[in-house]
Amino acid sequence: MASFTPDLEPTESKDKDKDPEAVAAPAKAISTSTGSITEELDNNSSSHRGTNNEGVFAAGGHAAFYEPIAKYEGRHRYDPNATWTELEEKKLVRRLDLRICSWVCLMFFALQLDRGNISQALSDNMLSDLGLSTNEYNYGMTIFYLCFLSAELPSQMISKKLGPDVWIPIQMASWSVVACSQSRLTGRSTFYLTRALLGLLEGGFIPDVILYLSYFYKSKELPIRLSFFWGAYIGTNIVSAFLAFGILHLRQASGWAGWRWLFALEGGLTAIIGVFSWFYLPPSPTQTKGGVRGKEGWFSEKEETIMVNRILRDDPSKGGMHNRQGLTPSLLWEALVDYDLWPIYLLGLTWSIPAQPTIAYLTLNLKGLGFGTFQTNLLTVPAWVLFLLQLIFWTWISERINNRFLIVLVCQIWMLPLLLALELMPANASPWAWYAVSALLVGYPYVHAILVAITSRNAGTVRTRTVGSALYNMCVQASNVISSNIYTTSDAPLYRTGNKVLLGLIAWNVVLIIAIKGYYMWRNSGRDKIWATMTPAERDIYLETTKDKGSKRLDFRFAH
C-alpha cells in the first residue's frame, strides 16, 4: 500500500473553482516544504501511482496544484492519503469490466446491428422491391456516411453537457425508431431520409462511449477495453447472420418482405437495449445508487474512494471538469487548436486505408475466383477470427511494453508484403493463393483501439479529450470514403493501379508513424530537461502562476 502525507496542508488556488481545467492531485506528484517524497514512493512496490515513463504528469509538484475542482462528481471521495492493496484494485476492475465494459459492448452490438443489417436486407431483394438502382443505393450510403461523420463533434458536445449516461440511451432509442421505420420504406426519398437520420443519430455514439469509459478506467486500462469494444463488431457480424437467416424467411410465412421484418425486429431489439440503458448506466463511479442498480448502489464508500483516487493519480486532468459540465465556445476553440493532437488526426486519415479495399471486396473477389456462395461466406470466417485475435493481442502488447506507435508500425509492416503479393502475383495463380493473401490482409493488426486510447491519454484536459475523440473518429470515417475510391471498375479484376496507390500509402504511413513518435519523444525530452533543473520551490511557483493548461504544462508527458 502507499500512504501520502505532505508536510504542508494543501492550499487552494484562488481561482480553482473558476478554472474549468484545474486538475486533480496525482499521488506520485506530492512534494513537501523540505523536498520531494517521490523517492520514498519509488521504494514502495505497491504504491498506486504512475511513473515518469508511464504517468500523465511528472513527479515533483505540490498536491495543492493538482486537486480536483470542488464540483467534480468524485470530489467527496478524493483523498491523497488513501491506501489500498493491489488485490482490492484488481477485484474492482473486474467488477467494472462486468458491469460497465460488458454493457458497453452490448450497446455497440446494438449499433452495429442497425448499422450493418442493410447488407443483409439487400440479399432479400430490397432494391428491386423499392425500385432502386445500384447507383441510388450508393448515393444513400454516401448520405449515411457523411451524416455519420458530421454528427461526431456535435454529439460529443451534447454528451459532455447532459452526461454520456443520459445522452447515449437517448441516441439509441432515437435511432431505433428510425431503424424500425425502415420497414415502411416506399422508395428513393424515404430511403435517403432514413439513411440521413440514422447517420446523424448514430454518428456520435463511439466517441461518446470512449468519453464514458474514461470515467472508470485508467489510461493503461482503456486500450484493451476498447479492443473488447471493437471485438463486439465481429460478434455482431456472426450473430446478425444467424438472426437474418431466420427473420428473412418470414417473407414466405407472412407475405411481408423479409427485409421489412429484419428492420422492424432488429430495430425493436435496439430500442429495448437503449431504454434499459437509461436505467442501468451510472453517471460515474460514485453515482451508482438508484434505478436497476439498487438503493445501495454497486460500491461501498471504500471502493468509491479507491476508484476515484486511482483514476486521479493516473490522470489528474480528469478532475478538471464535472460530468455535467458542457464546453463553452472558447473551450471548444482551445481544444480544436491543440496542435499536439493534430499528428494523430492526420494518421487517422490514412493508417487503415491499405487494408480497406481488400476487406470491402473480399466476398466479391472470392466469388470471382470461382468459389461458391457457401464457400465464400465460410472462407471469410478465418480472416475475421484472425482480425479479432490480432486486435486484442496487439492492443495488450502495446500497453505491456509501453510502446504504442511501435505496434502501430507493426500494422503497416504486416500489410506491406501482402500488398506486394497482390500486386505481383500472376493472374493465373491458384485461387487458394489469392485467398490466403487476402485473408491475411483482412486479418491485419487492427490498431484503432490503441490510437483512440492514445488520443484520450494525450489530450491533457477533459475538453480536449471530448473534442479530440470526435475529431480522430471523424478522420477515420473520412478514410473510409477515401478507401472506397481506390479500387475502380476500370482497374478490375486485379486492381494493379489501386495496389500501387496502397503501397504508396504504406510508405507514407511508415514515415508519418516514425515522425509522430519522434515528435512526442522530443516534446517530452525538452520538458524533462527544464523540469529536472527546477527546485521543488520553483516547480510550485510555476504550477501556481502558469497559464499553461493540460498538455501544454511543463509537467505533462505524452505517451508514445
Side-chain angles (χ1 to χ4, degrees):
M1 294 186 294
S3 178
F4 311 105
T5 310
D7 291 341
L8 297 178
E9 287 295 323
T11 57
E12 293 287 345
S13 173
K14 294 180 180 179
D15 297 324
K16 171 75 69 175
D17 294 334
K18 296 180 181 179
D19 185 0
E21 297 300 341
V23 294
K28 69 182 179 66
I30 297 174
S31 67
T32 70
S33 58
T34 58
S36 174
I37 65 171
T38 53
E39 181 177 352
E40 175 188 342
L41 301 182
D42 285 333
N43 293 328
N44 189 333
S45 60
S46 299
S47 61
H48 292 262
R49 61 184 178 83
T51 67
N52 286 341
N53 291 328
E54 298 177 0
V56 176
F57 285 86
H62 197 288
F65 304 112
Y66 297 87
E67 291 184 0
I69 62 172
K71 293 183 179 180
Y72 173 61
E73 62 275 6
R75 184 65 173 82
H76 61 298
R77 299 291 186 235
Y78 168 69
D79 181 5
N81 298 310
T83 62
W84 60 87
T85 66
E86 185 177 356
L87 180 60
E88 285 178 308
E89 184 170 358
K90 285 184 176 180
K91 287 182 177 179
L92 272 175
V93 173
R94 284 197 292 268
R95 289 174 64 188
L96 287 173
D97 289 340
L98 180 63
R99 295 180 181 274
I100 299 296
C101 187
S102 62
W103 192 262
V104 165
C105 289
L106 178 63
M107 293 191 298
F108 187 73
F109 167 85
L111 170 74
Q112 189 55 34
L113 194 66
D114 288 339
R115 185 170 62 168
N117 58 11
I118 185 71
S119 61
Q120 294 156 342
L122 295 179
S123 67
D124 193 50
N125 302 317
M126 186 189 84
L127 294 185
S128 60
D129 288 350
L130 294 175
L132 296 176
S133 67
T134 301
N135 283 342
E136 288 171 327
Y137 167 76
N138 290 335
Y139 294 150
M141 295 307 295
T142 300
I143 291 172
F144 170 81
Y145 286 122
L146 290 176
C147 290
F148 192 95
L149 186 153
S150 63
E152 303 272 4
L153 187 55
S155 181
Q156 276 286 77
M157 299 287 287
I158 297 173
S159 181
K160 189 65 191 72
K161 179 64 176 178
L162 299 181
D165 58 294
V166 172
W167 178 236
I168 291 173
I170 292 175
Q171 283 178 288
M172 296 182 68
S174 300
W175 88 56
S176 69
V177 172
V178 179
C180 288
S181 71
Q182 292 177 108
S183 63
R184 307 297 296 178
L185 291 177
T186 58
R188 180 177 59 185
S189 59
T190 53
F191 175 66
Y192 289 169
L193 177 62
T194 54
R195 286 290 98 190
L197 290 175
L198 280 176
L200 290 172
L201 293 170
E202 293 178 350
F205 175 84
I206 293 175
D208 294 339
V209 165
I210 295 167
L211 175 66
Y212 183 66
L213 288 175
S214 71
Y215 294 164
F216 296 89
Y217 290 103
K218 297 194 294 187
S219 57
K220 284 180 66 64
E221 296 167 347
L222 188 58
I224 192 66
R225 272 75 194 177
L226 291 176
S227 73
F228 297 155
F229 178 66
W230 272 285
Y233 168 82
I234 306 302
T236 306
N237 290 341
I238 297 172
V239 173
S240 63
F242 285 105
L243 288 175
F245 178 80
I247 294 173
L248 292 179
H249 278 81
L250 290 174
R251 176 189 284 265
Q252 302 170 356
S254 66
W256 208 35
W259 60 267
R260 295 186 185 275
W261 282 109
L262 185 74
F263 287 136
L265 295 178
E266 293 188 348
L269 178 60
T270 298
I272 294 172
I273 296 173
V275 170
F276 192 80
S277 296
W278 175 274
F279 300 98
Y280 181 82
L281 294 178
S284 75
T286 61
Q287 298 169 301
T288 62
K289 296 179 181 180
V292 296
R293 300 181 298 274
K295 293 182 179 180
E296 300 301 320
W298 289 345
F299 308 108
S300 67
E301 181 178 327
K302 173 66 180 299
E303 290 170 333
E304 289 182 357
T305 298
I306 294 174
M307 286 189 291
V308 167
N309 287 281
R310 79 187 198 94
I311 290 296
L312 295 183
R313 293 178 188 185
D314 172 68
D315 186 350
S317 71
K318 292 182 180 179
M321 297 181 76
H322 63 78
N323 59 2
R324 294 290 190 272
Q325 184 174 348
L327 297 182
T328 63
S330 61
L331 290 178
L332 173 61
W333 176 251
E334 288 178 20
L336 289 172
V337 298
D338 189 340
Y339 56 81
D340 283 313
L341 288 181
W342 290 357
I344 303 179
Y345 303 155
L346 182 60
L347 184 60
L349 279 172
T350 59
W351 75 265
S352 66
I353 290 179
Q356 290 305 314
T358 299
I359 293 174
Y361 284 78
L362 181 62
T363 54
L364 183 63
N365 288 340
L366 291 178
K367 297 250 335 187
L369 291 170
F371 294 106
T373 301
F374 177 76
Q375 284 180 302
T376 295
N377 288 309
L378 190 62
L379 288 173
T380 62
V381 174
W384 289 116
V385 169
L386 179 62
F387 177 95
L388 178 60
L389 293 175
Q390 296 225 72
L391 164 65
I392 296 174
F393 174 75
W394 290 111
T395 304
W396 176 77
I397 286 291
S398 71
E399 293 300 323
R400 183 75 174 180
I401 66 175
N402 193 31
N403 199 322
R404 290 81 172 175
F405 284 104
L406 174 63
I407 303 305
V408 177
L409 186 63
V410 167
C411 167
Q412 305 300 314
I413 294 173
W414 176 280
M415 292 188 288
L416 177 59
L418 297 172
L419 277 171
L420 281 172
L422 289 179
E423 175 65 14
L424 300 176
M425 276 199 308
N428 60 355
S430 166
W432 289 105
W434 285 101
Y435 163 71
V437 173
S438 298
L440 288 171
L441 190 54
V442 170
Y444 75 119
Y446 190 65
V447 296
H448 188 42
I450 298 173
L451 290 170
V452 167
I454 204 171
T455 302
S456 176
R457 160 63 174 75
N458 284 354
T461 60
V462 178
R463 42 103 170 157
T464 304
R465 181 174 296 111
T466 301
V467 175
S469 295
L471 291 178
Y472 170 75
N473 208 52
M474 289 172 67
C475 290
V476 172
Q477 296 300 326
S479 74
N480 293 331
V481 177
I482 297 171
S483 65
S484 65
N485 292 290
I486 292 179
Y487 279 4
T488 61
T489 303
S490 61
D491 199 27
L494 299 180
Y495 304 107
R496 301 294 196 191
T497 302
N499 288 332
K500 290 183 177 67
V501 174
L502 297 177
L503 287 169
L505 281 171
I506 285 182
W508 157 259
N509 288 337
V510 168
V511 173
L512 182 59
I513 291 165
I514 294 173
I516 293 174
K517 184 173 180 65
Y519 173 75
Y520 286 135
M521 292 174 65
W522 171 70
R523 293 281 279 162
N524 287 348
S525 176
R527 293 177 181 184
D528 283 339
K529 292 177 182 178
I530 298 174
W531 194 250
T533 61
M534 297 170 68
T535 65
E538 289 173 333
R539 291 170 182 169
D540 288 347
I541 292 172
Y542 166 78
L543 294 173
E544 184 176 18
T545 60
T546 183
K547 296 185 181 299
D548 298 333
K549 296 179 182 179
S551 63
K552 300 300 178 286
R553 290 167 44 142
L554 281 177
D555 55 340
F556 184 87
R557 298 296 179 267
F558 294 99
H560 53 79

